[in-house]
Amino acid sequence: MLSAKTRLKKVINREKVDRPPCICPGGMMNMVTTELMEQVGIQFPEAHMDAKMMADLTAAVYENGCFENYGVPFCMTIEAEDFGAKVNMGTNIYEPHVKEYIIDSVKEWEDVNPINYEKGRAKVVIDAIKLLKSKDKEVPIIGNLTGPISTASSIIEPVVFYKELRKKNKEAHEFLDFVTNQLIDFAKKQIEAGADIIAISDPSGTGEILGPKLFEEFAVKYINKLVDSIKEENIGTIVHICGQMKNVYSQVNKIGSDILSFDSIVNINEAKESLGDRLIMGNVSTYTIEFGDKSKVKELTRKCIKDGSDIIAPACGLGMKSPLENVKAMLEALTKGDGVTDA
């Protein structure tokens, strides 16, 4: 039987596998639930700020049969906070979120300090990956980045930011170039620490918000700059884009990641038809995982496989109140005879 790491690597390399992997990358796609934390005795917000707790908590996700990977961190506020934004660290139910921005216009981007990887929560993530690297060589470690648009709109008020993409176009590109260069550094630090794959989630950079033209000009351009730099390290990449894809499939197909991930509004069969031979990850409804029952989660998992998902994953981050039996149902559908297909 293939190890979790080998199976995922083979899928990325387009090699034959026994079944699809079942993963949840971390970052925006948080895999931790309140029930799991209570079970292992590790709590939020402490685990957001302590490398050992962070590593032990994501290891518990794997050890409890939820997903076939390690993945850190568990939120999308690392980069924004280390740039200087004020963050509410959340609770066992609510994830951290930005509460105070640091600039009022893209013209002020030069006032933003680079991330210091020797302190702060970026260092916590790097140290957690180092700890995970020493745990189990056959479990893939997924490092995570908040995408360029989402990071930028976490350090400036989003409505202002979106307006200035047009009105202050030159400065907006300079700002996003700066942010992307910082994300490249963070990615390389995670890779040096032991990450096997880097996942990039850019929920604020959707075609629905930006429209096709700005989506290609800003989201695709800077995601690709990030992806290209990561690929220089011979590391696999996942890019998650939120929202409906109907109007931007041609632009999405220009994103150079190994794997594309979509939320539950996207029909996987339609995505496969629109994107040719691209590897697709997803997209079991997180609403059903949290509020449905185990049999329905398995049914949706089987549908994802039938529609062509190459990797099974939740459509977004798990709701903190999701029952563990529902979370485990996805992997069970793959390993206990439900939904296993010949690759």
Side-chain angles (χ1 to χ4, degrees):
M1 185 174 69
L2 298 175
S3 71
K5 185 173 181 177
T6 298
R7 183 179 293 108
L8 185 55
K9 185 176 181 180
K10 279 181 172 289
V11 169
I12 292 174
N13 290 336
R14 299 175 180 270
E15 299 173 13
K16 185 179 176 66
V17 290
D18 52 347
R19 61 169 174 80
C22 182
I23 67 172
C24 192
M28 186 203 78
M29 299 181 74
N30 168 49
M31 78 281 279
V32 175
T33 66
T34 302
E35 185 179 349
L36 178 73
M37 289 192 293
E38 291 172 350
Q39 187 170 303
V40 300
I42 300 173
Q43 302 297 318
F44 286 159
E46 290 81 6
H48 293 301
M49 300 174 283
D50 182 283
K52 186 176 187 306
M53 287 184 180
M54 184 177 286
D56 287 348
L57 192 51
T58 192
V61 172
Y62 171 78
E63 291 160 2
N64 279 271
C66 298
F67 299 106
E68 299 177 294
N69 69 287
Y70 301 145
V72 294
F74 312 122
C75 72
M76 296 186 66
T77 59
I78 304 289
E79 300 90 346
E81 183 179 61
D82 285 9
F83 275 133
K86 302 298 183 185
V87 171
N88 180 314
M89 292 306 299
T91 67
N92 271 11
I93 298 174
Y94 301 106
E95 295 177 6
H97 61 274
V98 172
K99 63 179 182 180
E100 186 177 322
Y101 306 111
I102 58 176
I103 57 175
D104 297 317
S105 170
V106 296
K107 295 190 301 181
E108 301 170 5
W109 71 267
E110 290 181 281
D111 295 336
V112 181
N113 292 320
I115 294 173
N116 184 342
Y117 299 99
E118 300 304 316
K119 63 179 184 179
R121 287 203 290 140
K123 184 177 187 300
V124 171
V125 172
I126 293 163
D127 289 345
I129 291 173
K130 290 177 181 177
L131 291 171
L132 291 166
K133 191 68 175 178
S134 68
K135 281 182 179 289
D136 191 329
K137 305 301 183 186
E138 293 306 313
V139 181
I141 302 169
I142 302 179
N144 284 270
L145 298 171
T146 304
I149 296 288
S150 298
T151 299
S153 60
S154 294
I155 58 181
I156 180 176
E157 208 285 324
V159 173
V160 173
F161 172 71
Y162 291 129
K163 287 181 179 178
E164 292 190 339
L165 293 180
R166 290 187 177 89
K167 292 184 176 180
K168 296 180 173 64
N169 187 269
K170 176 178 176 291
E171 293 89 347
H173 276 291
E174 291 172 348
F175 178 35
L176 277 162
D177 197 55
F178 166 77
V179 166
T180 304
N181 286 336
Q182 291 296 301
L183 295 176
I184 288 169
D185 288 344
F186 193 19
K188 291 187 175 180
K189 294 287 186 183
Q190 293 185 47
I191 294 164
E192 288 171 9
D196 300 299
I197 294 172
I198 298 292
I200 303 159
S201 296
D202 211 349
S204 298
T206 72
E208 289 177 311
I209 295 174
L210 298 174
K213 181 181 180 297
L214 289 180
F215 180 78
E216 181 167 354
E217 181 180 352
F218 287 99
V220 175
K221 176 177 180 176
Y222 292 104
I223 287 173
N224 275 344
K225 180 174 180 177
L226 187 49
V227 166
D228 290 346
S229 293
I230 294 167
K231 285 191 168 184
E232 290 175 0
E233 308 294 325
N234 294 314
I235 293 292
T237 53
I238 299 168
V239 168
H240 179 90
I241 301 290
C242 288
Q244 185 56 261
M245 296 293 116
K246 290 182 184 294
N247 295 327
V248 290
Y249 272 124
S250 62
Q251 290 84 6
V252 167
N253 209 17
K254 295 177 183 178
I255 294 174
S257 59
D258 295 297
I259 300 160
L260 292 169
S261 170
F262 304 119
D263 67 29
S264 57
I265 198 172
V266 175
N267 180 285
I268 294 294
N269 187 51
E270 176 190 272
K272 278 288 188 179
E273 291 177 356
S274 301
L275 296 168
D277 64 350
R278 297 299 299 268
L279 296 175
I280 304 296
M281 183 177 96
N283 61 354
V284 179
S285 165
T286 50
Y287 181 88
T288 301
I289 295 169
E290 184 168 4
F291 299 107
D293 58 37
K294 188 174 181 177
S295 63
K296 183 63 176 178
V297 175
K298 287 189 175 184
E299 179 185 329
L300 291 180
T301 301
R302 289 191 290 269
K303 185 178 188 308
C304 285
I305 296 168
K306 181 180 178 181
D307 287 349
S309 286
D310 300 286
I311 298 171
I312 296 300
C316 196
L318 295 179
M320 294 296 296
K321 295 181 181 180
S322 300
L324 270 184
E325 68 170 5
N326 286 2
V327 176
K328 294 178 182 181
M330 286 174 282
L331 184 54
E332 289 177 3
L334 298 173
T335 59
K336 295 186 177 181
D338 297 312
V340 177
T341 60
D342 292 328

